[in-house]
Amino acid sequence: MKLKLMVILTIWMTFASNLIYAQLKNAIISGHIADADGKTFDLATVALFTIKDSVLVKTSFTQADGKFSFPGIGPGVYQIRASAMGYANYRSAILQVDGSGNHIDLPEIKLTVISKNLKEVNITAQKAFVEHKIDRTVINVDALISNAGTSALDVLGKSPGVSVDQNGLISLKGKQGVTIFIDGKPTYLSGADLEAYLRAIPSSSLDQLEIMTNPPAKYDASGNGGVINIKTKKGSIRGFNGGLNLSLSQGKMTRSLNSMNLNFRNSKFNYFANLSYNRNNSFTDLDLNRTYKNSDGSPASYFNQNSYIKRNTNAYNIKAGADYYQSDQTTWGVVLTGMLRNGGDSNNNTSNLFNSSRQLDSIITAKNINKIDFKNGAVNLNYRHQFAKKGQEITADADYLRYKNQTDQLYDNASFFADGRAKSNDILTGFLPSNIDIYSLKTDYSDELKNEWKFAAGLKKSYTKTDNIANYFYTLNEVTKPDYDKSNHFLYKENINAAYVNINKDYKMIAIQAGLRAENTISNGHQLGNLLKPDSSFKRSYTGLFPTLYVLYKLDTAGNHKIGLNYGRRIDRPYYQDLNPFVSPLDKFTYYVGNPFLKPSYTQSLELSHSYKNRYTTTLSYSNSKDDVNETIEILNGKYFSRPANIGRKIVKSLSFNGTFDPLKWLNINLYSELTNLTSKSDFYTGKLNTSGTYVYVSSILKLTIGDGWDGELNGNYRSKLRDAQFVMSSLWLANAAVQKKISKKATLKLSINDIFYSSIYKGVINNLALTEANWINKGDSRRAVLSFSYRFGKDFSTPAKHEGTGAESEKSRVRN
C-alpha cells in the first residue's frame, strides 16, 4: 500500500506542478550588454529582481553576441542588474510589466571598467542550483551550503538523479557504469581507487557538475550509465587573486579537508594552482549473515561475521599550470596534476560458525592490515587557435598519466573451538605493486557553416598499458612458503582510435544536434603464470559506431514550454583490473576474483522530456543494455567469491521530475523525484536470472534567506527498496541541515550537520546463491558536523580567453583497485 501511495504521489507531482503555472500570462524582457567601446560581453551575469522585496526572480548569462533574455515574466515591478568581473555593477531603471504579454526590449547596457580591490566589487546574483541544457544538466556546487567542507563524492551524492552506495559505486537514474571526468579528462579510476580519489578532492575546489545521461559525440563513447564531468574552479580574472578553504568534520572520528587556489594573470600569461590536503579517518561496521542449506532445503550450518574496518589516510592534491596568450586568437597551455595518498586500513574480523541446531561450532578471528601508497601524476599540453572567421576554431591536447600503487597486506587468522581453546593460527602476507601508464592525443575542430549550421569534428588516439603483480606468502607453524594459488603477474595493453562529427543548429522554435562517433579497440592481455598456474593470453579487436541525436522544440514563442528528445548508443569497456584474473582475499571466507573473459557491454538510451520556464522538467527515459557488467556473487564450498560478470540483458525505465519553487520570498525549494524500474535477465551460476523491481527516489533542498548575512538550508532524500540483479537493498533515507554567515564580502563561515538521525544504514539481501541465503548490514561514520571557513583575496581586472579543453576522455575512469 505504501509503495502504491508513493507511486501515485510521484506521478502527481510530476504532472501537476507543470499544469499549475501553465495558465499565467507572461512577458519577455531582453537586452544587449557591451563595454564602453561597444564590444559585446560573453557570459556576463544578468539578474532580474523585484523592486518591492529585492527578490531574485531569474538569473542568466549573456550569449557570445552580448544578448540576454528573460522569458515568462509575470506582472510586476522589476529591475535588471548586471555584473562582470572587472566592471562596475549595473542597475537599470524601474521596469513595469503590465501582464499584457508584450516583449520589452531594453536599450543597450554599457559596463565600465574598474581596477579596485575585491571588497569594492559587489556581485548580487547567485547561480541556480540546477541548470538544464539540450544535452546536459549543470549543478552549481556552491549553491548548496551543506556542500562546504565535504568531498567530491559527497557532492555527487546530493545531485539530482545521482546515487552513491556504501562502496562508493556511482549510478545515474538507476544505471551503473557512469564515467567520471574531471575538467574534461577521465579519472581512469574505478572501484575503491575512484572512491578514495573522489573523497580526497574537497568540494571547495569544485565549480560545477555536468551530468550527461546521453553525452554528445565529442565525448568518448564509454560509460553506459552516462558521463559526469566535474569542473574545478579556475582563475578567470587578471591580477593576483585566490581563495582559502578550511574545514573540520567531526563524527565518531575526525576528518579535515582543506584547499587553496591561487591565480595570477596579465596580458600574456596566466598562472594557476590548486592545492589541497585531506585527512580522512572513517570506519565501516559490516555484519554478514549466511545460512547454508542441504539439498532438501533444511539448514546445514550458519555463518555470522562482523568486520570493523578502520581507515586512516592522508591525501595531497595539486593542480598547477600556465597559459600563454600568443595573440587574441592563439593560446598555449600546460597543466600538471598529481596526488599522493598514503595510509591504510585495519580490519578486526570475527566469524562465528554454527551447526544446524545453531550451536556454536568454532570461532575465527582475523587482524587484517592493508598499507597503501598511491601516487598519480599527469601532464597535459594544450593548444587553441581561433580563426578570423566567426566560429572557426581548432584545439589540440596531448596527455600522459601514470598511476603507481603499492599495497602491502597482512592477514593474521586464528581459529578457536567453541569453548575458546586455540585450534590453529596462520598468516597470509601479500605484496601488490601496480602500474598504469596512459598516453592520449586529441584534436577538435569547429566551424560555422552556411545557414547558421555549426559543425564540429575530432580525432583521438589513446594507448594504455598496465602491469599488476601479486606476490602472496603463507605462514603456518612458523614456516613461510609462496602461495602460488593467489600469486600472479598480469600485463594488459589497449589501443583505442576514435573519430567523430557533430552538427547543430538553433531555429526559432526548434534546436537540433546530431553526431556520430566511431571507435576501434585493440586489446591484449597476458597472464604470466607460475609453478601452479599456466601461462595464458588473449587478444581482442572490435569497432563500433555510436550515434547521438538531440531535438528541443519550443511549444510557444516565449519558450516557456519545451519538449526535448534525445537518443544515443554507448559502450562500457571492462575496468582494467576487472580483466585481471587475480584472486584477492578480503578475509578467509571472502574473495574478489577478476574475469579476463569480460566482454564490452552496449547500451541504447532514449529520453523524452518536457520543461516549463526552465524551472520544472519532467523526463521519461528508457535504456536497454546488452552484456551489462555487474558484480556477481558465487558460493563455492562455503566461500564467497565476488567477481564481475556480463548480465545478458538489463532494461532501465525511469520517470523523473525536477522543479524549483519559490513559495515565499525567503524560501527556495528544489525537488527531485524519480520512479525507476530495473529488469535483469541472464544465464547465471544457479540457472536463469530473471529479476525486476521498481523503486521510488525523492530528494528535496530547502534554501532559506534569513537576512543580515545569514542563510540556511535543509535537505534530505528517500529511496524505497531496490532490486538490481542479485541484490535487494532495503529502503534508505537521510536528512541534513546547514547554516552560513557572511562575515564580510571576503569571508564566509558555514556549519552543517549530515545524516542528523543516523538513518543512512545500508541493509540488503543476496539472492541466486547455491543452497545459501545471505544478507548484510553496513554502518559508517555518516552522522557528522562540519565547520568550514572560506576567504577570498587579491585584485581583479578584465579577462582574456583561454583554452579549457583537455584530452584523454575515458581511459582514466577504468582503473580499479
Side-chain angles (χ1 to χ4, degrees), residues 357-370:
S357 301
R358 288 192 179 272
Q359 294 178 328
L360 185 62
D361 177 78
S362 59
I363 303 170
I364 297 178
T365 63
K367 176 72 173 180
N368 302 335
I369 298 175
N370 289 292

Side-chain angles (χ1 to χ4, degrees), residues 396-399 439-443 459-463 807-809:
D397 291 271
D399 290 88
Y439 306 83
S440 173
L441 293 173
K442 173 190 172 186
T443 183
L459 299 171
K460 180 185 173 182
K461 182 178 183 66
S462 68
Y463 173 74
E809 274 88 6

Side-chain angles (χ1 to χ4, degrees), residues 105 159 166 168 181 202 297 419 619 627-628 723 735-736 767:
D105 192 7
S159 302
Q166 72 272 22
F181 288 68
D419 59 6
T619 305
D627 295 324
D628 189 62
R723 180 162 191 167
N736 310 312
N767 295 319

Side-chain angles (χ1 to χ4, degrees), residues 134 505-507 509-513 550-554:
I134 189 172
K505 182 175 180 178
D506 292 338
Y507 293 91
M509 299 296 291
I510 190 171
I512 300 173
Q513 178 174 315
Y550 309 86
V551 179
L552 186 64
Y553 180 70
K554 298 178 183 179

Side-chain angles (χ1 to χ4, degrees), residues 21 50 53-57 615-616 660-670 701-706 711:
Y21 297 90
T50 61
D53 303 307
S54 291
V55 174
L56 176 63
V57 179
R615 291 172 65 89
Y616 318 102
T660 300
F661 306 86
D662 298 296
L664 300 168
K665 65 179 182 180
W666 49 267
L667 177 63
N668 172 269
I669 301 174
N670 181 268
I701 300 169
L702 283 71
K703 299 170 65 177
L704 302 90
T705 303
I706 301 171
D711 294 286

Side-chain angles (χ1 to χ4, degrees), residues 282-580:
S282 63
F283 72 84
T284 296
D285 190 356
L286 176 63
D287 289 308
L288 299 176
N289 305 294
R290 302 169 192 164
T291 300
Y292 299 104
K293 296 183 177 182
N294 298 308
S295 56
D296 61 1
S298 61
S301 61
Y302 298 90
F303 172 88
N304 303 122
Q305 181 187 79
N306 174 261
S307 297
Y308 186 83
I309 306 171
K310 185 178 179 181
R311 301 178 184 87
N312 304 99
T313 59
N314 294 287
Y316 307 86
N317 286 279
I318 183 172
K319 178 180 180 181
D323 298 293
Y324 168 60
Y325 303 101
Q326 180 180 339
S327 66
D328 290 340
Q329 290 77 36
T330 303
T331 304
W332 300 83
V334 58
V335 182
L336 305 175
T337 58
M339 174 186 283
L340 299 176
R341 191 178 77 247
N342 55 66
D345 60 71
S346 61
N347 180 357
N348 291 313
N349 180 296
T350 301
S351 302
N352 296 306
L353 286 74
F354 301 86
N355 61 23
S356 60
S357 301
R358 288 192 179 272
Q359 294 178 328
L360 185 62
D361 177 78
S362 59
I363 303 170
I364 297 178
T365 63
K367 176 72 173 180
N368 302 335
I369 298 175
N370 289 292
K371 294 183 178 180
I372 300 171
D373 185 11
F374 175 89
K375 298 181 178 70
N376 161 235
V379 58
N380 164 258
L381 303 176
N382 59 75
Y383 167 80
R384 175 195 186 207
H385 178 73
Q386 293 177 306
F387 297 91
K389 179 184 175 184
K390 180 183 176 182
Q392 189 178 23
E393 178 181 280
I394 188 169
T395 64
D397 291 271
D399 290 88
Y400 169 69
L401 301 94
R402 180 173 177 82
Y403 293 87
K404 185 175 182 179
N405 186 58
Q406 175 66 51
T407 301
D408 297 335
Q409 301 175 333
L410 174 64
Y411 297 159
D412 190 346
N413 301 287
S415 300
F416 302 89
F417 292 103
D419 59 6
R421 289 180 296 117
K423 182 186 292 186
S424 64
N425 179 261
D426 61 82
I427 297 175
L428 180 69
T429 54
F431 304 94
L432 289 76
S434 173
N435 295 310
I436 300 177
D437 293 277
I438 300 169
Y439 306 83
S440 173
L441 293 173
K442 173 190 172 186
T443 183
D444 297 287
Y445 172 79
S446 59
D447 198 357
E448 192 166 311
L449 308 178
K450 293 182 178 179
N451 300 321
E452 297 184 346
W453 279 96
K454 295 179 181 179
F455 170 82
L459 299 171
K460 180 185 173 182
K461 182 178 183 66
S462 68
Y463 173 74
T464 302
K465 62 178 182 179
T466 72
D467 188 346
N468 300 275
I469 298 174
N471 290 321
Y472 281 99
F473 300 89
Y474 186 72
T475 302
L476 182 64
N477 298 323
E478 298 184 352
V479 177
T480 301
K481 296 180 179 180
D483 188 339
Y484 292 113
D485 186 52
K486 300 180 182 66
S487 297
N488 212 327
H489 189 182
F490 181 69
L491 302 173
Y492 179 77
K493 297 178 181 179
E494 182 181 85
N495 182 23
I496 300 177
N497 303 289
Y500 79 90
V501 293
N502 193 85
I503 57 171
N504 67 284
K505 182 175 180 178
D506 292 338
Y507 293 91
K508 184 176 181 181
M509 299 296 291
I510 190 171
I512 300 173
Q513 178 174 315
L516 180 65
R517 188 178 185 91
E519 293 189 351
N520 168 257
T521 305
I522 302 172
S523 61
N524 294 273
H526 184 193
Q527 179 180 331
L528 273 64
N530 53 43
L531 294 178
L532 293 182
K533 293 184 177 181
D535 186 281
S536 62
S537 63
F538 65 86
K539 182 177 181 179
R540 296 194 182 116
S541 178
Y542 49 92
T543 301
L545 294 176
F546 305 96
T548 55
L549 174 66
Y550 309 86
V551 179
L552 186 64
Y553 180 70
K554 298 178 183 179
L555 297 179
D556 55 82
T557 55
N560 290 330
H561 291 274
K562 298 177 183 178
I563 297 293
L565 176 70
N566 70 70
Y567 164 81
R569 182 175 187 259
R570 298 188 62 76
I571 185 174
D572 201 8
R573 299 180 183 88
Y575 297 130
Y576 300 127
Q577 276 86 344
D578 280 355
L579 295 167
N580 186 336

Side-chain angles (χ1 to χ4, degrees), residues 43-259:
L43 295 178
T45 302
V46 190
L48 180 69
F49 285 82
T50 61
I51 290 295
K52 182 179 179 180
D53 303 307
S54 291
V55 174
L56 176 63
V57 179
K58 283 190 175 184
T59 183
S60 182
F61 300 94
T62 56
Q63 304 299 315
D65 57 3
K67 293 181 179 180
F68 66 89
S69 177
F70 292 120
I73 304 302
V77 183
Y78 302 95
Q79 183 182 60
I80 292 288
R81 302 180 188 178
S83 62
M85 286 295 186
Y87 289 81
N89 292 332
Y90 167 86
R91 295 193 179 198
S92 72
I94 294 175
L95 303 175
Q96 181 73 48
V97 178
D98 57 12
S100 62
N102 292 333
H103 184 170
I104 301 174
D105 192 7
L106 302 175
E108 183 178 69
I109 297 171
K110 290 191 175 182
L111 301 184
T112 57
V113 177
I114 60 173
S115 174
K116 300 182 180 180
N117 291 334
L118 280 176
K119 65 181 181 181
E120 299 179 37
V121 180
N122 179 28
I123 300 173
T124 57
Q126 293 184 353
K127 293 182 180 180
F129 174 54
V130 179
E131 300 175 29
H132 297 283
K133 299 184 178 181
I134 189 172
D135 57 1
R136 69 198 64 191
T137 298
V138 179
I139 307 298
N140 292 301
V141 175
D142 286 340
L144 291 191
I145 303 172
S146 59
N147 280 337
T150 63
S151 68
L153 193 67
D154 298 320
V155 172
L156 285 171
K158 295 178 183 177
S159 302
V162 180
S163 298
V164 181
D165 71 7
Q166 72 272 22
N167 298 316
L169 182 64
I170 301 167
S171 59
L172 180 57
K173 290 188 176 181
K175 295 188 289 184
Q176 298 178 13
V178 179
T179 301
I180 302 298
F181 288 68
I182 295 181
D183 292 326
K185 298 170 62 64
T187 59
Y188 297 105
L189 297 170
S190 66
D193 269 347
L194 178 59
E195 177 191 10
Y197 188 84
L198 294 176
R199 287 196 189 280
I201 299 176
S203 60
S204 56
S205 66
L206 308 185
D207 182 27
Q208 292 180 329
L209 305 182
E210 293 181 329
I211 300 174
M212 294 167 272
T213 55
N214 179 25
K218 182 177 180 178
Y219 283 84
D220 293 16
S222 60
N224 286 338
V227 165
I228 299 177
N229 182 33
I230 301 173
K231 299 178 70 174
T232 59
K233 294 176 180 176
K234 301 178 180 66
S236 59
I237 53 181
R238 290 188 184 182
F240 174 75
N241 55 84
L244 175 67
N245 297 275
L246 306 174
S247 73
L248 184 68
S249 175
Q250 184 64 54
K252 292 185 178 180
M253 305 179 75
T254 303
R255 301 178 197 170
S256 181
L257 289 91
N258 310 284
S259 69

